[in-house]
Amino acid sequence: MAPVKMDSPDDTVLSDGVGEEQRASGVLKGLECIAPLVRSVEETLEPIPTAVQGTIPSWIHGNLLRNGPGKFEFGNTHYNHWFDGMALLHQFKIQAGEVTYRSRFLQSDSYRKNSEKDRIMVSEFGTLALPDPCQNLFQRFLSRFEMIKPTDNASVSFVKYKGDYYVSTETNLMHKVDPETLASIEKVDWSKFVAVNGATAHPHCDPDGTVYNMGNSYGSKGALYNIVRVPPEKKDSTDSLQGATVLCSIMPANKSHPSYYHSFAMSENYVVFIEQPIKMDLLKIVTCKLRGKGLSEGIYWDPKQDTVFHLVDKKTGQASSVRYHTKAISTFHQINAFEEDGFLMLDMCCSEDGQAINNYLIQNLRKSGDALDQVYNEMTRVFPRRFVLPLGVTSNTPSNQNLNTRPDSLATCLKTGKDKVLCQHEDLHGDDLLDYGGLEFPQINYGQNNTRPYRYFYGCGFRHLVGDSLLKMDLKDKSLKVWQQQGFYPSEPVFVPSPDAVDEDQGVILSVVLTPSQDKGTFLLVLDAQTFEELGRANVPVNIPYGFHGTFNPTA
């Protein structure tokens, strides 16, 4: 199926005149400067109306909640990395076909301390806070020997535990927030409930409300990867993570150089941890303050190592003795995982290297001309892939022959030794995805199809350093539908099912679209998820930076 044009032919761009040679090589020239998308903005504390064009379906009742960095400097000090900016929470309230917008900076300890001194007082992922100039020389010298304290600048996503909304990053600190006012209610520390030093901003939820997450712990003997389970029941109104337990702990291949991970996968019966060759040098991280370097300096890519999939039984907490290996790849976001016919299908957005995390410096995002083109062209594209993991591998399983018996599947899996299976992926896309720079920020109809067989997923195309198109992939024939307009940069798509939905893709896609060339050129886009045609947009009269993740909070 050819890409579908979603608006008038004059407005929607599905080809930007890039030559076939550039398409084949993936090299682009003349990228638009997107510096306005990574500039500090003011918060909008009270709801303001938006101007609706087209039609917002009247059945949509709720809040699109978004999270991401919104302030990149304090006084004369500025952040180095995109992940460092202060969390700005956004709410698009949709009701009766109308939309209002509000935003609020998360009142984290980091934000308060920085604001009080008008300088960066708390270190972030890529930025080391300098010693307090009010201290004497000896005090400043001693401060370099202190451990960096974890930030509570929860700027990555909105997550849900026991019916409450939290904003999260990757440290042990989250904030419970009111989805109606965006006000911070309570700071919650994972380490007060379970022995972990952090947790991902991408937990998974079972139908009964049980939530699974992962976090590392660090001790005298090195690091452990921990799978954590949070029960669905709330004992009283003050309950947060009470009852959380470590389901399973996995030992890293190298305890002093564990893998960095942004997320994990989950099927009906298994948690899937992906141990990838993005490594953390714990000695460098522990001594970063002494060396005057940011935490990010301790993260590196080691392409000589395999990526390894670990399966943990959700009922017993036992890790499978079988390790599933593939070549060195990196992944930030998984699409879905499900079990069928004795196999576990693991669908992920993958890259051939893991250096992207160090490329998202603010100075890179603000470049223009040839310098911007160079940053983009040196980065490896991300594509959706499927790995097929055989579940019944035993000592009697034949070696060195493809165990994947699924019809029409090109993935392979070979037992190559005791408790070792070598896997080769199959692509979940056709050649036309190359035209859109690959796919990231994947989303599915989570409520209906997470951990189950599914047909559709959505994401952003990346012919820039941030998303510049919205994509819908049909796994039945690996065909694409596309929404793209020149100079417009959409956020992660969020699928909202219609109340009477029968089909998997019956509903809408919500995305916040930014326009760097136009002041206050932001709008909430609403697409028909089946046709990918635009239904309406709500123009927001404020500037919004490009953010990370969000969720839809349905209301009555």
Side-chain angles (χ1 to χ4, degrees), residues 160-180:
K160 199 172 182 182
Y161 296 96
K162 302 183 181 182
D164 293 324
Y165 283 91
Y166 295 79
V167 286
S168 177
T169 179
E170 296 181 341
T171 70
N172 55 303
L173 301 173
M174 301 189 298
H175 282 265
K176 184 187 292 187
V177 295
D178 183 338
E180 289 299 322

Side-chain angles (χ1 to χ4, degrees), residues 351-367:
S351 173
E352 294 294 331
D353 74 31
Q355 302 184 75
I357 194 170
N358 291 320
N359 290 329
Y360 278 96
L361 301 175
I362 293 173
Q363 65 179 14
N364 286 343
L365 290 163
R366 291 177 177 172
K367 285 181 177 179

Side-chain angles (χ1 to χ4, degrees), residues 318-348:
Q318 293 295 312
S320 171
S321 61
V322 178
R323 299 288 188 264
Y324 302 87
H325 290 244
T326 191
K327 65 179 182 179
I329 57 168
S330 68
T331 179
F332 278 80
H333 302 111
Q334 288 73 54
I335 305 167
N336 199 4
F338 63 93
E339 301 157 43
E340 197 172 59
D341 302 327
F343 297 93
L344 189 151
M345 271 53 69
L346 176 60
D347 297 350
M348 316 187 299

Side-chain angles (χ1 to χ4, degrees), residues 147-445:
M147 285 283 291
I148 287 181
K149 295 179 180 178
T151 180
D152 67 335
N153 176 37
S155 64
V156 177
S157 68
F158 277 85
V159 297
K160 199 172 182 182
Y161 296 96
K162 302 183 181 182
D164 293 324
Y165 283 91
Y166 295 79
V167 286
S168 177
T169 179
E170 296 181 341
T171 70
N172 55 303
L173 301 173
M174 301 189 298
H175 282 265
K176 184 187 292 187
V177 295
D178 183 338
E180 289 299 322
T181 66
L182 301 181
S184 178
I185 299 170
E186 175 190 8
K187 183 174 72 172
V188 176
D189 185 346
W190 274 96
S191 66
K192 302 294 185 185
F193 302 93
V194 67
V196 296
N197 296 94
T200 80
H202 292 287
H204 279 291
C205 186
D206 269 345
D208 69 352
T210 301
V211 179
Y212 295 82
N213 206 338
M214 288 198 62
N216 285 2
S217 57
Y218 304 102
S220 59
K221 296 182 180 180
L224 287 174
Y225 310 122
N226 302 290
I227 297 166
V228 178
R229 181 164 55 196
V230 181
E233 301 85 10
K234 203 174 187 181
K235 294 181 179 179
D236 56 55
S237 60
T238 63
D239 195 341
S240 56
L241 298 176
Q242 281 83 350
T245 56
V246 172
L247 177 68
C248 178
S249 296
I250 299 170
M251 190 177 299
N254 184 334
K255 284 190 172 184
S256 62
H257 292 251
S259 291
Y260 168 82
Y261 54 93
H262 183 71
S263 58
F264 61 99
M266 187 177 83
S267 68
E268 181 180 358
N269 294 298
Y270 297 93
V271 169
V272 185
F273 170 57
I274 300 133
E275 189 173 20
Q276 59 186 350
I278 303 178
K279 297 297 180 179
M280 298 188 294
D281 186 326
L282 295 187
L283 180 60
K284 282 188 175 182
I285 290 173
V286 168
T287 60
C288 64
K289 196 169 184 181
L290 178 63
R291 296 182 297 108
K293 301 290 186 180
L295 290 169
S296 59
E297 296 284 333
I299 296 179
Y300 67 98
W301 169 246
D302 185 357
K304 298 186 296 297
Q305 297 193 37
D306 284 353
T307 294
V308 182
F309 307 127
H310 300 262
L311 270 57
V312 175
D313 189 303
K314 290 159 63 178
K315 294 183 179 67
T316 67
Q318 293 295 312
S320 171
S321 61
V322 178
R323 299 288 188 264
Y324 302 87
H325 290 244
T326 191
K327 65 179 182 179
I329 57 168
S330 68
T331 179
F332 278 80
H333 302 111
Q334 288 73 54
I335 305 167
N336 199 4
F338 63 93
E339 301 157 43
E340 197 172 59
D341 302 327
F343 297 93
L344 189 151
M345 271 53 69
L346 176 60
D347 297 350
M348 316 187 299
C349 291
C350 303
S351 173
E352 294 294 331
D353 74 31
Q355 302 184 75
I357 194 170
N358 291 320
N359 290 329
Y360 278 96
L361 301 175
I362 293 173
Q363 65 179 14
N364 286 343
L365 290 163
R366 291 177 177 172
K367 285 181 177 179
S368 60
D370 292 344
L372 174 61
D373 295 346
Q374 181 178 349
V375 171
Y376 177 81
N377 290 322
E378 288 178 351
M379 293 175 65
T380 304
R381 307 292 160 256
V382 178
F383 292 98
R385 295 173 174 175
R386 171 171 293 175
F387 293 87
V388 177
L389 313 183
L391 293 174
V393 176
T394 68
S395 58
N396 296 323
T397 300
S399 299
N400 298 313
Q401 69 180 54
N402 186 13
L403 302 177
N404 181 14
T405 56
R406 289 175 60 81
D408 304 320
S409 174
L410 299 178
T412 61
C413 42
L414 289 79
K415 181 183 174 185
T416 58
K418 186 179 184 297
D419 294 334
K420 182 177 179 180
V421 175
L422 184 63
C423 301
Q424 173 65 35
H425 71 271
E426 62 179 307
D427 292 331
L428 294 183
H429 63 89
D431 290 343
D432 53 352
L433 185 57
L434 300 174
D435 294 347
Y436 300 100
L439 184 148
E440 249 290 5
F441 291 149
Q443 291 286 311
I444 62 171
N445 183 342

